[in-house]
Amino acid sequence: MKFSEQWLREWVSPQLDTQAIADQITMAGLEVDAVEPVAAAFTGVVVAEVVAKDAHPDADKLNVCLVNDGSGEPVQVVCGAPNVAVGQKVPFARVGGVLPGNFKIKKAKLRGVESRGMICSESELELVEDTSSGIFVLSEDAPIGEALRTYMALDDHTIEVDLTPNRGDCLSLKGLAREVGVLNQLDITGPEILPIAPGFDETFPVRVEAPELCPRYIGRLIRGVDVSAQTPLWMVERLRRSGIRSIDPIVDITNYVMLELGQPMHAFDRDNLNGEIIVRQAREGERLVLLDGQEVNLRPETLLIADRNGPLALAGVMGGENSGINPNTQTIFLESAFFTPLAVAGQARSYGLHTDASHRFERGVDPALTELAVERATQLLLDICGGEAGPVKGVSDVSALPAKREITFREARLHEALSKPLPREEVSGILTRLGMQISDLAEGWQVSVPSWRFDIAIEEDLIEEVARIHGYNNLPVRRPAARLALKPQGEARITQARLRHQMVARGYQEAVTYSFVAPDLQATLLPEAVSPQLANPISTDLSVMRASLFPGLVRALMHNLNRQQTRVRLFETGLVFNGPLDDLNQTPMLGAIVCGSRYPEGWSGDKQNADFYDLKGDLESLIALGGQPDTWRFEAAEHPSLHPGQCARVMHNEQTVGWMGRLHPEVRGKLGLKVDALLFEVRLDALSEGAIPAFEPLSRQPEVRRDLAFTVAEGVPVQALLDMARAYAGEHLRQVRLFDVYAGKGVADGHKSIALGLTWQHPSRTLNDDEINQLVDVIVTQAREQHSAELRS
């Protein structure tokens, strides 16, 4: 919410400078993001009148003008603007003046004609961001000779407030003025708004089919309006300083009332309405072309403003193109409504929109403002566009409006929460200035909450209000007592911090992605995944809960690749969500993605790309932290995201706890990835499970080692031979290590040679050859029977 300091001071003007007001608002919970001047610095620019205009004798696009700047004699100036005309009031920079950018005005000759000054455009004064098409034409009543900064009140500041969603009551100048008035114990003085006496009896019928979503809808006809009228400069400037561009007087007035009072409004062309206004939900197959030209397919839950021909507007969001104001409009239907926050929440974003109206209705608009806003807008319309107003008519369902809230506020509870007793008079004054009606009770107060404060519902809300108005800096400082005993750390658990440090040590960087992902991305990677869909997503690209860490990591990879990062190594920890909302399974996972070269670029580095076994080694380094590598296994399997020939199921204690492998080529093609990527994802509870270290005496006996080279079919996994060897090698086996895999000359086609090194050691005696040979014979026999393996000669 942006607002002009001068506009605020017309409502309430504390004896504080600009920065002090900003600091005060911030300390009251309404954080100020920025304080900026409303205009760039310039000097020597005054209001002048063009009294004569002649064509330049030596240039087709230039004019020689005489301007009266109030100094006495008319001043000659050469002007190239196409819209300059006799009788206009314009900003005129005198010789010696300085425009924004330190542009100094000097006497000059343009094509041989003397020019003493400059008629300025809005862009030359930096009053607009775009380049102006012509000079800035001021109002006819602008006083000649007066400094432009004084005339337009440009020595002003725009204060931008970043409001939290619960403070929708401050999305208006009235709401902000109310806050400043409360903080400084000052009354606020807004414009006098009186009911407009109807000049005719005609009304336009209104029917509300969804009163639970729109409890109140009122409107009035205003006929004989002049849509070609000019919006007054004071209104254009207040809109500009609030970040809204002037469009036409009717739209400007509805925007102005929204900024002033906080009530969004809309004006329809009466001649484009058929039969009656109907507030209803959309029907299947209906479409609407919005004011911005976008055509949307309406969903059945969308609340609409319609007539007998069909939809006219998205309720509380944006009007339709066909029923809006146009140059031929003579009669308008001015609407003002109260839509419940739930009726509008998420609707704008679901259609890719965000409007000032939806921003307010989602947070709650005061239902008592509806008729007041109509009267204020009518008053301004009649003053600016002329015309005649009819009676106000509408529909109101009191039972569906927000119920009046009564809260018992205990004095003892307040003092306990603030650690400070406050005088009853001060508390009563704060609550009263906040617009609440109070009555004294023996234990405190009975408080009636005003209609504009949707965020106050319980006693703690009132405590917060008293605390922030009294001033957090005025509350006593009480330091909490803390026990500083060291927490015991279980040796059987591997902490997340240790896992993260290990990944960083392996050259990874931690990624933190949203728990929400794009539905099409998740469907591409996990076509059978079921996870909750958000009813009110941040955006359409973040509308489903992630069923895996893969979508977020892949998206992070693509983000980095698009920024010329060719070597990417990312990991992430977080929850994944599987199943429908009523039976949701939330699982903490650790995932990683690798792309590019095995090592960073360097003169001695290996320039080959990382492969499946590099990623497997990184995962095994995490497994090693738990001290139980024998409880883990990798099995060849298939996963929809991963390459069928380079995919492994990760097993822990014979249960599936994760997946790893190369990204599937078809998935890469759908995502537009031109490079390979490798991923893994493992349950955190499995990785966090460790063994308590225990000392085992070192054996003084010699080790015995046997190397066995088996020839097996290519399809036999190494893991199967390793498991078999451990199963039949006896209790004194200390290590089984794979030290060679070979296929080629000397090995039959379709086969491979796998060489295992087995090491035995007895704790108290020397193992003899007969014992070892018996074990080796058993292993060889089982390898032949289970895997058709033969010892390689």
Side-chain angles (χ1 to χ4, degrees), residues 47-50 87-91 122 135-146 148 151-152 229-237 384:
V47 177
E49 181 180 12
V50 180
Q88 289 175 337
K89 299 289 182 66
V90 294
E122 289 178 280
I135 59 170
F136 184 15
V137 180
L138 305 175
S139 301
E140 294 180 358
D141 59 355
I144 296 173
E146 184 171 356
L148 186 72
Y151 169 64
M152 294 185 63
Q230 291 293 315
T231 304
L233 182 61
W234 60 267
M235 182 178 288
V236 172
E237 273 297 293
I384 296 170

Side-chain angles (χ1 to χ4, degrees), residues 128-401:
V128 294
E129 293 183 2
D130 300 330
T131 301
S132 303
S133 58
I135 59 170
F136 184 15
V137 180
L138 305 175
S139 301
E140 294 180 358
D141 59 355
I144 296 173
E146 184 171 356
L148 186 72
R149 299 194 72 90
T150 303
Y151 169 64
M152 294 185 63
L154 295 178
D155 294 321
D156 184 15
H157 292 86
T158 291
I159 301 176
E160 184 172 1
V161 181
D162 184 13
L163 295 171
T164 52
N166 64 315
R167 292 309 305 270
D169 61 296
C170 290
L171 285 168
S172 67
L173 196 75
K174 180 179 182 180
L176 288 165
R178 186 164 48 220
E179 286 289 306
V180 174
V182 171
L183 293 169
N184 294 281
Q185 301 184 28
L186 297 172
D187 294 330
I188 64 172
T189 306
E192 186 179 15
I193 304 174
L194 301 174
I196 304 296
F200 57 90
D201 297 331
E202 182 186 357
T203 60
F204 197 78
V206 173
R207 174 159 54 93
V208 177
E209 295 182 358
E212 71 283 359
L213 302 177
C214 178
R216 178 170 290 160
Y217 186 99
I218 65 172
R220 82 183 327 161
L221 291 172
I222 303 176
R223 64 190 186 192
V225 296
D226 179 12
V227 295
S228 65
Q230 291 293 315
T231 304
L233 182 61
W234 60 267
M235 182 178 288
V236 172
E237 273 297 293
R238 286 182 175 178
L239 292 173
R240 179 182 74 85
R241 297 175 196 188
S242 300
I244 295 179
R245 181 173 57 89
S246 174
I247 297 173
D248 63 56
I250 295 176
V251 174
D252 291 348
I253 288 167
T254 56
N255 284 335
Y256 182 84
V257 174
M258 177 184 69
L259 291 173
E260 184 180 63
L261 302 180
Q263 172 68 53
M265 305 180 72
H266 188 65
F268 296 100
D269 186 328
R270 165 64 182 83
D271 295 336
N272 290 332
L273 302 179
N274 183 21
E276 61 181 338
I277 288 287
I278 308 168
V279 184
R280 61 172 174 82
Q281 289 182 294
R283 299 175 183 133
E284 196 68 41
E286 288 188 311
R287 300 171 67 85
L288 175 64
V289 179
L290 300 173
L291 282 172
D292 62 0
Q294 177 184 349
E295 185 175 13
V296 294
N297 294 312
L298 301 171
R299 293 185 296 275
E301 70 273 13
T302 303
L303 188 65
L304 298 178
I305 310 299
D307 65 5
R308 291 177 184 172
N309 286 338
L312 298 171
L314 289 177
V317 179
M318 184 180 288
E321 185 179 62
N322 296 331
S323 60
I325 305 302
N326 61 72
N328 299 319
T329 299
Q330 294 183 343
T331 302
I332 65 171
F333 177 73
L334 186 65
E335 72 157 20
S336 180
F338 171 72
F339 303 111
T340 62
L342 288 178
V344 182
Q347 293 295 339
R349 281 192 296 275
S350 69
Y351 289 105
L353 302 169
H354 182 269
T355 65
D356 291 320
S358 68
H359 188 75
R360 286 164 172 79
F361 280 123
E362 286 176 346
R363 287 154 176 76
V365 173
D366 181 6
L369 274 179
T370 316
E371 191 164 344
L372 185 71
V374 168
E375 297 293 355
R376 175 60 168 159
T378 303
Q379 183 184 78
L380 293 169
L381 276 165
L382 298 183
D383 290 344
I384 296 170
C385 301
E388 190 177 25
V392 176
K393 181 184 177 181
V395 176
S396 185
D397 185 341
V398 177
S399 64
L401 287 169

